Every structure is written in C-alpha cells, then in structure tokens.
Amino acid sequence: MSANTDRYEIAVARYFDAWNAAGPEELAKAVAAAWCEEGGYTDPLADVSGHDGIAAVIAAAHEQFPGFVFRHAGSVDGHHDTARFSWELVSEADGSAPVAGSDVITLDEDGRIRSVLGFLDRVPGGA
C-alpha cells in the first residue's frame, strides 16, 4: 500500500509543479513530467488533451488569476491507478482562496497522469 501511496503523492506533486510553473519553458517541462503524451484534462471550463492543450489551460488560469498559486488541500486518496485530492487557488498577496476544487486523476504504468477530471467547488462570481 505504501508504494501506491507514494505513487499518488508523486503524481500529485508533479501536477502542482505544472500548475505553479513560471514561464512557458518551465510550464512545458512540468506538463511533460506530469502527464503522459496523450494525457488529458477536463473540468467544467475546459476539455483538452496533449501537452500543448494542457499547458494552454494552465497558462490561461495564470492570466486570469495573476499572483495566485495552486495549493494542495487535504490528503491524497487513491486505489489502483486512480487518485483524488482537493486544491485551492491562493493569493500570494493576502492568502485568500477564492477558487477551490477537487480532482480525480488516473495514472499510466509509469505514474504519469493519463487523465484529470476536475470539479470546481468554489468559484467567484464572474470567473
């Protein structure tokens, strides 16, 4: 069980590395490290596949929320090739977290993300 728990924790850490990457080159490297080539990302606002599509969604979030970082909230729970976790989008200026959600990921045999199904639990009006 510990090996699987580590696998989930590593995958989620890479996921947050991608979401918090600064600049296009770092973002491209972080997405490639976290997702397999045919990987996908789906939430209520996006449905993309491939590294370029995923990087574009992340870049758009950075543009919409400058000065914010994604932070893991709670613990990672998983079984087989699937894990779930919660997150918040936190302002570096004042610590507020206007956006929060939960994601379910599936992993490939190498521990990279095959798919993300994202759910938005808290979203500010107009976002």
Side-chain angles (χ1 to χ4, degrees):
M1 185 85 163
S2 177
N4 277 339
T5 300
D6 290 345
R7 183 174 183 237
Y8 306 138
E9 294 286 344
I10 291 167
V12 171
R14 288 180 183 155
Y15 176 84
F16 283 103
D17 287 347
W19 278 95
N20 290 318
E25 287 183 31
E26 184 181 332
L27 176 55
K29 287 179 186 176
V31 167
W35 273 267
C36 62
E37 290 211 24
E38 66 280 357
Y41 178 88
T42 302
D43 72 14
L45 306 173
D47 185 10
V48 298
S49 60
H51 291 170
D52 290 344
I54 294 164
V57 167
I58 293 171
H62 284 259
E63 288 176 20
Q64 185 174 4
F65 293 97
F68 283 77
V69 294
F70 286 87
R71 297 258 165 84
H72 186 234
S75 59
V76 177
D77 182 30
H79 62 81
H80 298 84
D81 290 331
T82 305
R84 66 180 176 171
F85 56 93
S86 296
W87 53 268
E88 294 180 317
L89 184 61
V90 179
S91 168
E92 293 179 297
D94 66 12
S96 65
V99 182
S102 301
D103 290 352
V104 176
I105 61 174
T106 57
L107 304 177
D108 70 6
E109 59 279 352
D110 295 325
R112 289 173 42 194
I113 298 169
R114 181 174 302 161
S115 69
V116 176
L117 296 176
F119 297 85
L120 299 173
D121 302 327
R122 180 174 63 240
V123 179

